[in-house]
């Protein structure tokens, strides 16, 4: 401490020659190691940097007492496009982590996030637990989506549908950023496990949202409501959805009046319009065009049988 009532650090002001938002602390000494290892460990402050560097971790960088900025990302991208974010585990550090994720992802980085146990920052952890313990956690640091999902699961009451929707909506915007459909699909199991979602209908809704790169869910049907499809109209529409050849043969023979007033009327109209326009008919595409949650739930039942 610098004195009674003084903060731990005193940040110097910016000047025309010293712009903190454009400089990463220690990068002049660690750039070669970052390039060689093709990964940068981002820490929040000077002491974190110095303690880790003394402990043998040389691919480090730290903002100079300010938030991580797009200029920092552009500077770091000269040496690598991979980063492990290891900011402090307090609320300010969590906020800084989320902001850095947005910036790094926009800049094309592959990002993992390391949150140290016991509420310890990197400086304290490496001094108390040692370099080997830190290296082990660093090696196992999860991808950013898993980190965000675990954070959401820890903050939200997952006992009911509303909580699960809230948790999913915190993570889906980041899943939607993934360019690869395979990568997006792989996140469904992670989210269902962490948010304790087992019902087939709900899983189908999540799969549809992920496939369509939607950033939120308005609702999900209550778990345990799935049952066999009943009624000739529902079974007929499932055939139209699942079998392109049957759809091509049956559509000219069907009239709106044939399904008017049935439980599948809304879904039928969407399928009909897509087919007539020559657009591929898929469950995600049909679901994205259904405004009625009841129709969406019925469509998910069709998809699961």
């Amino acid at each position: 401490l610098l004195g009674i009532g003084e903060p731990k650090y005193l940040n110097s002001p910016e000047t025309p020659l010293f712009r903190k938002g454009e400089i990463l602390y220690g990068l002049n000494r660690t750039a070669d190691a970052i390039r060689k290892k093709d990964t940068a460990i981002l820490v929040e402050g000077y002491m974190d940097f110095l303690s880790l560097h003394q402990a043998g971790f040389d691919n480090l960088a730290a903002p100079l007492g300010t938030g991580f900025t797009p200029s920092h990302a552009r500077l770091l991208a000269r040496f690598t496009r991979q980063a492990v974010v290891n900011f402090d585990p307090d609320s300010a550090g969590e906020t800084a982590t989320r902001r850095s994720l947005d910036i790094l992802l926009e800049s094309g980085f592959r990002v993992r996030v390391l949150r140290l146990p016991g509420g310890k920052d990197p400086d304290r952890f490496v001094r108390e637990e040692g370099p080997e313990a830190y290296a082990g956690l660093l090696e196992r640091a999860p991808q950013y989506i898993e980190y965000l999902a675990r954070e959401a699961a820890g903050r939200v009451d997952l006992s009911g549908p509303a909580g699960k929707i809230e948790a999913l909506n915190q993570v889906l915007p980041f899943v939607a950023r993934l360019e690869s459909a395979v990568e997006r699909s792989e996140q469904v199991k992670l989210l269902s496990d962490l948010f304790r979602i087992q019902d087939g209908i709900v899983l189908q809704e999540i799969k549809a949202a992920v496939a369509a790169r939607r950033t939120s869910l308005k609702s999900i049907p209550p778990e345990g409501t799935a049952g066999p499809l009943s009624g000739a109209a529902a079974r007929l529409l499932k055939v139209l959805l699942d079998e392109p050849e049957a759809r091509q043969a049956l559509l000219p023979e069907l009239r709106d009046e044939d399904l008017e007033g049935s439980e599948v009327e809304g879904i039928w109209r969407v399928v009909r319009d897509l087919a007539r326009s020559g657009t591929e008919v898929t469950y995600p595409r049909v679901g994205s065009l259904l405004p009625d949650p009841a129709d969406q739930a019925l469509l998910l039942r069709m998809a699961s049988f």
Side-chain angles (χ1 to χ4, degrees), residues 34-305:
I34 290 172
R35 183 186 288 110
K36 182 177 179 180
K37 295 180 178 179
D38 195 21
T39 301
I41 305 169
L42 291 174
V43 293
E44 199 169 344
Y46 315 98
M47 294 307 300
D48 294 331
F49 180 101
L50 292 170
S51 291
L52 288 177
H53 198 273
Q54 289 175 346
F57 301 92
D58 54 2
N59 54 325
L60 301 163
L64 284 165
T66 185
F68 192 81
T69 69
S71 293
H72 288 146
R74 288 192 295 270
L75 178 60
L76 196 62
R78 298 177 187 175
F79 311 102
T80 185
R81 289 281 183 174
Q82 298 191 83
V84 180
V85 179
N86 184 199
F87 291 166
D88 293 353
D90 55 18
S91 59
E94 289 180 10
T95 300
T97 296
R98 276 185 166 267
R99 289 175 178 169
S100 71
L101 288 180
D102 282 324
I103 293 169
L104 287 165
L105 294 172
E106 285 290 335
S107 301
F109 278 76
R110 298 184 67 86
V111 189
R112 295 184 293 140
V113 180
L114 174 57
R115 184 176 183 183
L116 299 172
K120 298 178 182 178
D121 61 22
D123 168 37
R124 180 181 171 191
F125 184 90
V126 78
R127 285 189 289 105
E128 294 183 357
E129 306 296 334
E132 290 185 2
Y134 184 86
L137 292 175
L138 181 66
E139 181 70 23
R140 299 190 298 274
Q143 297 293 329
Y144 66 95
I145 290 177
E146 180 177 344
Y147 163 80
L148 292 169
R150 291 187 181 279
E151 287 294 298
R155 289 192 302 268
V156 175
D157 179 4
L158 298 174
S159 61
K164 293 176 182 179
I165 293 172
E166 181 182 350
L168 285 165
N169 286 347
Q170 291 182 24
V171 182
L172 282 177
F174 291 89
V175 177
R177 288 173 180 257
L178 295 172
E179 292 295 332
S180 167
V182 174
E183 284 189 89
R184 294 197 303 274
S185 179
E186 289 174 349
Q187 305 307 318
V188 174
K189 186 178 187 306
L190 169 69
L191 298 179
S192 63
D193 288 344
L194 289 177
F195 298 154
R196 304 197 298 272
I197 298 170
Q198 299 178 340
D199 189 273
I201 289 179
V202 180
L203 288 175
Q204 286 295 332
E205 170 63 8
I206 298 172
K207 288 178 182 178
V210 167
R213 303 181 77 170
R214 283 154 46 196
T215 58
S216 66
L217 294 176
K218 293 183 179 179
S219 64
I220 54 178
E223 295 189 59
T225 60
L229 290 175
S230 61
R235 292 194 296 272
L236 171 62
L237 201 61
K238 179 166 175 60
V239 172
L240 295 178
L241 282 159
D242 291 345
E243 304 292 340
E245 292 182 0
R247 183 166 62 246
Q248 186 176 3
L250 291 173
L251 275 173
E253 307 298 326
L254 291 172
R255 301 172 301 171
D256 290 344
E257 302 86 71
D258 295 331
L259 296 170
E260 188 174 353
S262 71
E263 63 178 337
V264 298
E265 180 181 2
I267 302 174
W268 151 251
R269 293 183 183 280
V270 172
V271 171
R272 176 204 63 194
D273 292 345
L274 288 174
R276 287 179 178 175
S277 69
T279 305
E280 183 182 9
V281 178
T282 64
Y283 282 97
R285 182 169 285 120
V286 173
S288 69
L289 297 172
L290 291 172
D292 188 341
D295 287 340
Q296 294 173 4
L298 179 56
L299 180 69
L300 291 170
R301 288 177 61 194
M302 291 179 179
S304 61
F305 287 98

